[in-house]
């Protein structure tokens, strides 16, 4: 006979998964495992008030499953805010696949992942993210229609993500320096993957002085040779004399250690979850007089790109909307300065207000 027992409120508090879901107010988590393909993944649906949850799939070799869980929870919450503040009729979700993206990819793994996505019946729509490319998404698409960013459609979102980051950075310059020109500005771009490389291209075309760092030596060499950017060490990048710090790799690089070292006036990059602790470090950035562009607001170009695919809008529509990130960022940082409230808190408030207003009326989706 199988013994059962009643679950109490105290039991749920002690459960790291339920407690984490409650902290960020998530709707649903799906843990995915397939021994044959080696798939180990987590899909997080944060909020579907504005529409189905959309967010990319990240493939990363996490140190443990709790680290992966924390990442997917923060990323999916960020997608809710990103989609809301961008005026898109989408909720927030995200997925992470635990594994080495250089050695563990296979058709079997991505097709099995696609079946898990399909099991959510459209509540979650996936796309590419760190460690994933459009070809991987074609394998996912063999098992589900709930996927965007496919070749021949909206494709790689990196160029438009970089464009949004670039114009958002210019908005920060307008507020901090009185002009949105980046010519002659010293800008440190941390991470020169797809988005980072396109960002460097924009910056060098405007004659900014660009410093770059990355764990991938081949990418560093390519970007340096192609655009004339100066390579610096992974740790050295925090100490150089710069006007703008642009984190474009993984998150939490704005923390107690780096804030004591950064000499920048602006933080504006494409990475998600740049503040290690948004409350503590969001306030610390404000106290130091640094203009901070909230990550999910400045890096929304990619989701705008795939939203155009979902809604049958043109690439020109997506381009125009991504250029509007300039105004979004400027309004946030101006309010932050005027009200002496951290920029992340202003952005959160704007995103939450739309969700709360729409939550009172059921959207037809």
């Amino acid at each position: 006979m199988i013994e059962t027992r009643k679950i109490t409120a105290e039991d749920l508090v002690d459960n790291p998964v339920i407690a984490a879901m409650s902290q960020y107010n998530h709707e649903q988590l799906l843990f995915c495992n397939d021994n044959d393909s080696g798939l180990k993944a987590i899909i997080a649906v944060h909020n579907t008030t504005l529409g189905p949850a959309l967010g990319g799939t990240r493939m990363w070799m996490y140190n443990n499953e709790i680290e992966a869980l924390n990442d997917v929870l923060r990323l999916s919450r960020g997608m809710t805010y990103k989609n809301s503040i961008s005026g898109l009729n989408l909720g927030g979700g995200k997925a992470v696949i635990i594994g080495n993206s250089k050695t563990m990819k296979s058709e079997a793994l991505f097709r099995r992942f696609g079946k898990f996505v399909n099991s959510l019946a459209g509540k979650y729509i996936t796309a590419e993210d760190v460690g994933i490319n459009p070809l991987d998404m074609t394998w996912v698409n063999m098992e589900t229609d709930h996927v965007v960013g496919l070749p021949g459609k909206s494709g790689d979102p990196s160029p438009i993500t970089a464009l949004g980051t670039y114009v958002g950075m210019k908005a920060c310059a307008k507020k901090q320096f009185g002009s949105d020109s980046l010519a002659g500005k010293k800008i440190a771009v941390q991470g020169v993957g797809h988005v980072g490389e396109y960002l460097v291209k924009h910056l060098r075309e405007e004659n900014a002085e660009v410093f770059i760092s990355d764990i991938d030596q081949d990418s560093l060499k390519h970007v340096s040779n192609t655009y004339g950017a100066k390579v610096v060490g992974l740790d050295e990048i925090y100490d150089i004399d710069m006007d703008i710090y642009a984190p474009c790799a993984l998150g939490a690089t704005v923390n107690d250690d780096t804030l004591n070292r950064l000499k920048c006036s602006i933080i504006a990059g494409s990475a998600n979850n740049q503040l290690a602790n948004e409350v503590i470090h969001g306030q610390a950035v404000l106290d130091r007089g640094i203009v901070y562009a909230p990550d999910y607001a400045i890096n929304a170009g990619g989701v705008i790109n795939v939203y155009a695919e979902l809604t049958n809008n043109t690439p020109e529509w997506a381009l125009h909307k991504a250029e509007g990130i300039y105004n979004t960022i400027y309004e946030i940082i101006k309010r932050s300065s005027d009200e002496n409230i951290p920029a992340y808190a202003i952005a959160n408030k704007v995103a939450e207000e739309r969700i709360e207003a729409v939550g009172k009326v059921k959207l037809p989706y």
Side-chain angles (χ1 to χ4, degrees), residues 155-263:
D156 182 3
S158 301
I160 200 163
T161 302
L163 173 65
T165 304
Y166 169 65
V167 298
M169 186 183 292
K170 288 176 71 66
C172 291
K174 175 70 173 177
K175 180 69 179 66
Q176 188 73 303
F177 307 130
S179 167
D180 65 10
S181 173
L182 299 176
K185 292 292 186 281
K186 296 179 179 179
I187 303 173
V189 179
Q190 182 189 51
V192 287
H194 291 168
V195 176
E197 178 179 349
Y198 285 112
L199 177 60
V200 169
K201 181 176 185 293
H202 286 300
L203 298 175
R204 291 295 294 142
E205 287 175 347
E206 199 176 338
N207 294 318
E209 185 178 355
V210 179
F211 303 86
I212 58 174
S213 70
D214 199 291
I215 60 174
D216 189 325
Q217 294 301 308
D218 291 336
S219 294
L220 275 178
K221 183 177 180 180
H222 165 70
V223 173
S224 177
N225 291 342
T226 303
Y227 306 105
K230 301 176 183 178
V231 176
V232 298
L234 290 172
D235 191 59
E236 181 188 359
I237 196 165
Y238 301 112
D239 299 311
I240 64 174
D241 181 25
M242 68 178 103
D243 298 296
I244 301 171
Y245 170 55
C248 296
L250 297 180
T253 63
V254 180
N255 52 54
D256 290 339
D257 173 56
T258 60
L259 275 175
N260 288 325
R261 298 162 63 187
L262 287 169
K263 303 175 180 67

Side-chain angles (χ1 to χ4, degrees), residues 16-26 46 70 73-74 77:
V17 175
I18 299 296
M21 288 181 70
S22 298
Q23 178 184 358
Y24 294 115
N25 198 22
H26 277 72
H46 177 251
N70 289 335
L73 289 172
R74 290 195 70 187
R77 174 178 176 261

Side-chain angles (χ1 to χ4, degrees), residues 54-319:
L54 185 145
T57 296
R58 170 172 297 190
M59 189 169 187
W60 191 257
M61 196 67 249
Y62 295 95
N63 292 318
N64 53 62
E65 292 166 3
I66 293 297
E67 185 179 89
L69 173 64
N70 289 335
D71 200 30
V72 78
L73 289 172
R74 290 195 70 187
L75 289 168
S76 54
R77 174 178 176 261
M79 287 305 304
T80 294
Y81 283 53
K82 181 185 300 188
N83 292 331
S84 175
I85 207 166
S86 302
L88 308 180
N89 293 328
L90 292 170
K94 204 80 175 184
V96 296
I97 296 175
I98 303 172
N100 188 321
S101 63
K102 295 185 181 298
T103 62
M104 294 177 62
K105 289 185 178 181
S106 69
E107 177 181 346
L109 182 146
F110 284 107
R111 291 186 67 167
R112 189 68 185 90
F113 176 70
K115 289 181 178 179
F116 280 112
V117 172
N118 202 55
S119 73
L120 292 171
K123 189 173 185 180
Y124 170 66
I125 302 168
T126 195
E128 67 174 89
D129 196 74
V130 175
I132 303 292
N133 60 53
L135 175 61
D136 303 327
M137 289 292 105
T138 63
W139 284 331
V140 176
N141 187 223
M142 291 177 182
E143 303 295 341
T144 183
D145 291 329
H146 306 302
V147 54
V148 289
L150 297 166
K153 295 186 178 180
S154 60
D156 182 3
S158 301
I160 200 163
T161 302
L163 173 65
T165 304
Y166 169 65
V167 298
M169 186 183 292
K170 288 176 71 66
C172 291
K174 175 70 173 177
K175 180 69 179 66
Q176 188 73 303
F177 307 130
S179 167
D180 65 10
S181 173
L182 299 176
K185 292 292 186 281
K186 296 179 179 179
I187 303 173
V189 179
Q190 182 189 51
V192 287
H194 291 168
V195 176
E197 178 179 349
Y198 285 112
L199 177 60
V200 169
K201 181 176 185 293
H202 286 300
L203 298 175
R204 291 295 294 142
E205 287 175 347
E206 199 176 338
N207 294 318
E209 185 178 355
V210 179
F211 303 86
I212 58 174
S213 70
D214 199 291
I215 60 174
D216 189 325
Q217 294 301 308
D218 291 336
S219 294
L220 275 178
K221 183 177 180 180
H222 165 70
V223 173
S224 177
N225 291 342
T226 303
Y227 306 105
K230 301 176 183 178
V231 176
V232 298
L234 290 172
D235 191 59
E236 181 188 359
I237 196 165
Y238 301 112
D239 299 311
I240 64 174
D241 181 25
M242 68 178 103
D243 298 296
I244 301 171
Y245 170 55
C248 296
L250 297 180
T253 63
V254 180
N255 52 54
D256 290 339
D257 173 56
T258 60
L259 275 175
N260 288 325
R261 298 162 63 187
L262 287 169
K263 303 175 180 67
C264 61
S265 301
I266 293 169
I267 297 174
S270 65
N272 290 308
N273 299 324
Q274 295 167 24
L275 303 175
N277 182 304
E278 64 179 14
V279 176
I280 294 172
H281 301 116
Q283 184 65 51
V285 165
L286 180 68
D287 292 343
R288 284 167 168 78
I290 298 172
V291 168
Y292 168 65
D295 42 39
Y296 62 76
I298 197 172
N299 68 14
V303 74
I304 289 170
N305 190 55
V306 296
Y307 184 73
E309 178 182 331
L310 275 175
T311 54
N312 295 315
N313 277 299
T314 65
E316 290 73 24
W317 175 90
L319 185 67

